[in-house]
Amino acid sequence: MSEVRIMVPNPPGSGYDMTARTVAATLKDTGLAAEVDVFNLPGAAGTAGMARLMYEAGNDRLLLQMGLGLVARTHLQDTHRITAAVPLARMVQEPTVLLVPADSPYRTLDDLVDDWRDPDVPVRLGGGSSPGGPDHLALMLLAERLGIPAANTDYIWHDGGGEMLSALVEQRVDVAASGAGEYRHAVEAGELRVLAVTGPDPIPGIDAPTLRELGIDLEFLNWRGLLAPPGISESRREELIDALDELRTTPEWRDALNDNHWHDAYLAGDDFGAFLAAEDDRVGGLLARLDES
């Protein structure tokens, strides 16, 4: 594959940023691409990057790292929908984890829920995605399952993973939702603890139950993929997808999945396009329902 640039629509340290840089490094390490540059273009909770992608119609060297959070933001800001771009591939899924500082008084999820249910106890919830993004959605869906009114959910948005880590360590938030791989080093170092996992299975190396193991009927998985601008040639689209097809089969990519607690969720081309259309409808309905609660 010839040279490409991957645009990340939020700051360094985010899940998008980690995924884009892992894709880039693996493409280069395996010889599937000669040069892959990653750059960050934060703004408007990710939709600035989407606008840039649409503006660069026909630029067959530009890709956008995106995912569930960007789908939601295009609804909330009524901007370019993700279905207007060229779908390349969904690369990964990952569960969300609920994190607290190491010395937090919340030793279990039940401890947190007891305070969260009490309107007289302020519980500051945080995430590295804007309202409508995966961190926010995971917490709002959990509140819905627990019967906690939205008014009792004080969600503090931090633009990207780096800001969120500082807020947790400095205890400016009490608990945060995050992708399972984003803070794995802080968890391994004992700076943070995981109260629960939103995926279907426990995560190897993380001593925390799933929500279902705790009796809560909820599973939540975030996903991330790559788009190209509209107007690129069919031959270039096939070249990009072929490179991602090969990437997905390499030992280096399998190692990256394991290291980051990501699930292989590969879906390419028209199949990814059909998924995006269905996801666009699903997320729009979900946001409308949460807005009414």
Side-chain angles (χ1 to χ4, degrees):
M1 180 172 69
S2 58
E3 179 182 349
V4 295
R5 304 184 75 208
I6 303 178
M7 176 169 53
V8 177
N10 51 17
S14 66
Y16 286 169
D17 188 66
M18 288 177 59
T19 307
R21 294 183 189 281
T22 302
V23 168
T26 310
L27 283 170
K28 288 189 287 187
D29 290 347
T30 56
L32 291 171
E35 187 61 42
V36 185
D37 178 39
V38 177
F39 70 100
N40 298 80
L41 185 70
T47 58
M50 187 67 193
R52 168 75 174 271
L53 190 79
M54 300 303 293
Y55 177 77
E56 298 220 18
N59 182 350
D60 63 8
R61 298 183 183 276
L62 179 67
L63 308 182
L64 176 66
Q65 179 67 67
M66 51 77 69
L68 174 60
L70 189 57
V71 178
R73 291 312 303 179
T74 61
H75 280 268
L76 292 170
Q77 298 190 205
D78 194 24
T79 183
H80 301 285
R81 291 292 172 79
I82 43 96
T83 50
V86 173
L88 296 179
R90 184 183 69 186
M91 300 301 296
V92 299
Q93 287 180 323
E94 69 172 342
T96 295
V97 292
L98 301 182
L99 295 159
V100 294
D103 57 354
S104 168
Y106 299 129
R107 308 305 301 180
T108 67
L109 184 63
D110 283 343
D111 294 338
L112 168 66
V113 171
D114 286 344
D115 278 357
W116 196 359
R117 289 184 189 278
D118 188 342
D120 295 325
V121 178
V123 177
R124 300 164 300 173
L125 306 175
S129 62
S130 61
D135 300 344
H136 179 248
L137 286 177
L139 290 167
M140 294 302 294
L141 289 170
L142 178 57
E144 182 182 61
R145 290 292 191 279
L146 295 170
I148 298 173
N152 285 24
T153 303
D154 180 18
Y155 181 77
I156 304 169
W157 168 37
H158 299 80
D159 195 4
E163 287 187 12
M164 187 67 260
L165 178 59
S166 296
L168 266 173
V169 171
E170 296 168 11
Q171 300 190 14
R172 288 182 275 115
V173 296
D174 301 304
V175 61
S178 166
E182 282 187 61
Y183 301 117
R184 67 188 188 281
H185 298 304
V187 172
E188 291 166 0
E191 294 179 283
L192 303 176
R193 289 186 290 108
V194 179
L195 296 183
V197 177
T198 68
D201 303 303
I203 297 173
I206 293 181
D207 183 19
T210 68
L211 294 178
R212 290 201 185 279
E213 288 176 325
L214 294 171
I216 300 170
D217 184 21
L218 177 64
E219 277 184 17
F220 181 87
L221 290 171
N222 185 21
W223 59 267
R224 301 190 190 102
L226 292 164
L227 300 178
I232 68 169
S233 69
E234 185 60 28
S235 60
R236 176 58 169 169
R237 176 178 181 250
E238 290 177 1
E239 179 189 1
L240 293 168
I241 292 173
D242 286 347
L244 296 173
D245 283 346
E246 289 191 54
L247 172 72
R248 186 248 183 145
T249 67
T250 63
E252 291 86 349
W253 183 248
R254 289 196 296 272
D255 288 344
L257 293 177
N258 290 330
D259 290 346
N260 290 288
H261 306 306
W262 293 338
H263 299 170
D264 181 8
Y266 192 74
L267 193 66
D270 291 342
D271 291 336
F272 182 42
F275 168 80
L276 287 176
E279 194 75 341
D280 192 51
D281 288 342
R282 183 186 75 86
V283 170
L286 174 59
L287 291 171
R289 191 182 83 230
L290 291 174
D291 188 53
E292 293 169 359
S293 64

